[in-house]
Amino acid sequence: MQRLSKRLQAAADFVSMGSRAADIGTDHGFLPIYLIQSGKCPQAIAMDIRKGPLERAREHIAAAGLGDLIETRLSDGMQALEQKEADSAVITGMGGLTVLHILKEAGEIVPDLKELVLEPQSDIAKVRRYLREHKMVIDQEELVQEAVKYYPVRHVAIAKTDVQRLAGYEEWNNRHPIYEDLCNQLEDEERAQGVLDQYGACVIYGKHPLLYQMLERDEKRELGILQALGRRMDTAGGNQERADATGMRRQEVERRLEEIRALLKILRDRF
């Protein structure tokens, strides 16, 4: 059986049994190999924009004896994927802006899917906000730690296939006591939603065991940035432009720190 890293295993676990999977940005091809070997998927498509990684994926697929069940395609995102060819699309190991580019350029492919499994490694809030605004529901999420990094892996239900589920999710989110507490603490529903976009409603409401560690790490990071900005302000001298830019940056960091501490306080008080 192909072995996977923690984050790839979390992604594989979210792929529905019996689905035809497309691994976008397959790299070494390990994920589709595992999906076939584990019996989760009857067939898969391994796609990558780069020829080198795709050739390595072909070699690994051939070595596993799965050439008849896993097709490889050179593709920019989902461009080489036809409608109705896959039930699940998995996008891992990429920056959030790249994930958004792939989703935006996919055209009618995404609405035809049953699910997405996403693991953006940056701009996480932007990805969650895009999904929410396009009526796609993150109904399950896992938080994985590898070395010093935290990787959010989420299962996305495509809303067109389950309108009632979407409505139920929105009601659950808007009435959840933690969301209400955030709105009260921050005195701003938009900021409260931004916190959910950053850390994930499923992770927060589900009291994920790694959430506290991640929040404490982020609190420490923002405090370090504030200290550095303070030193920069001290050395600004008469440079008003530099002082103004530093002051604006300080306000942004203080705002993030307030949001992190609000969530930490709510979680500590409630749980």
Side-chain angles (χ1 to χ4, degrees):
M1 178 77 71
Q2 176 66 55
R3 297 186 64 180
L4 301 176
S5 65
K6 286 183 180 180
R7 62 182 181 83
L8 281 184
Q9 186 62 59
D13 290 344
F14 279 149
V15 175
S16 295
M17 183 68 70
S19 65
R20 299 164 300 160
D23 184 24
I24 314 302
T26 195
D27 201 13
H28 294 84
F30 294 150
L31 180 64
I33 291 172
Y34 173 86
L35 292 174
I36 299 296
Q37 289 178 336
S38 65
K40 266 210 160 185
C41 297
Q43 60 189 64
I45 303 172
M47 311 174 78
D48 206 288
I49 192 172
R50 298 167 297 168
K51 292 181 179 180
L54 197 64
E55 184 56 38
R56 288 197 298 272
R58 289 193 185 104
E59 293 171 358
H60 293 141
I61 291 166
L66 298 175
D68 293 338
L69 298 176
I70 303 175
E71 183 180 348
T72 57
R73 292 183 191 174
L74 191 67
S75 177
D76 181 357
M78 299 189 203
Q79 296 300 303
L81 187 66
E82 300 292 333
Q83 286 183 262
K84 308 295 184 182
E85 273 194 309
D87 306 303
S88 309
V90 183
I91 308 176
T92 65
M94 302 180 195
L97 296 182
T98 301
V99 172
L100 290 177
H101 167 76
I102 291 171
L103 295 178
K104 291 174 182 178
E105 294 297 316
E108 293 303 310
I109 297 298
V110 172
D112 279 340
L113 296 168
K114 293 182 179 178
E115 63 189 4
L116 293 167
V117 179
L118 306 178
E119 185 256 316
Q121 299 190 346
S122 61
D123 295 294
I124 293 165
K126 291 180 181 179
V127 175
R128 286 199 183 97
R129 183 166 63 247
Y130 176 87
L131 295 171
R132 176 167 48 80
E133 291 174 349
H134 287 77
K135 307 302 181 185
M136 291 181 275
V137 176
I138 301 173
D139 60 350
Q140 299 177 72
E141 187 157 5
E142 180 60 275
L143 190 60
V144 176
Q145 183 180 20
E146 287 186 351
V148 296
K149 292 186 177 181
Y150 296 90
Y151 298 94
V153 185
R154 73 284 311 264
H155 179 273
V156 183
I158 308 302
K160 283 188 177 180
T161 67
D162 199 344
V163 176
Q164 288 184 338
R165 190 178 193 179
L166 173 64
Y169 174 85
E170 289 178 336
E171 182 178 3
W172 167 73
N173 184 67
N174 293 338
R175 293 188 177 183
H176 198 284
I178 291 181
Y179 176 73
E180 293 178 349
D181 285 352
L182 273 171
C183 290
N184 292 332
Q185 288 261 357
L186 300 172
E187 300 181 343
D188 188 330
E189 290 186 7
E190 187 174 341
R191 287 184 73 189
Q193 183 60 61
V195 173
L196 297 184
D197 287 342
Q198 180 63 41
Y199 293 103
C202 291
V203 170
I204 295 170
Y205 300 163
K207 299 172 285 183
H208 195 285
L210 290 178
L211 177 59
Y212 287 101
Q213 292 177 219
M214 185 165 65
L215 287 169
E216 289 171 349
R217 177 209 62 179
D218 289 356
E219 180 184 34
K220 183 177 180 180
R221 179 195 63 211
E222 300 304 329
L223 285 171
I225 294 172
L226 279 180
Q227 291 175 355
L229 289 172
R231 291 192 294 270
R232 184 177 181 183
M233 185 69 80
D234 291 341
T235 59
N239 189 329
Q240 191 59 45
E241 183 177 351
R242 181 179 179 184
D244 289 345
T246 303
M248 291 181 62
R249 173 73 170 135
R250 185 183 184 94
Q251 289 178 6
E252 293 173 1
V253 176
E254 288 174 340
R255 183 180 175 90
R256 283 201 303 272
L257 187 58
E258 182 185 16
E259 292 166 353
I260 292 167
R261 286 177 166 172
L263 181 54
L264 273 170
K265 182 179 186 305
I266 291 166
L267 295 174
R268 287 167 178 157
D269 289 348
R270 283 194 169 274
F271 308 110

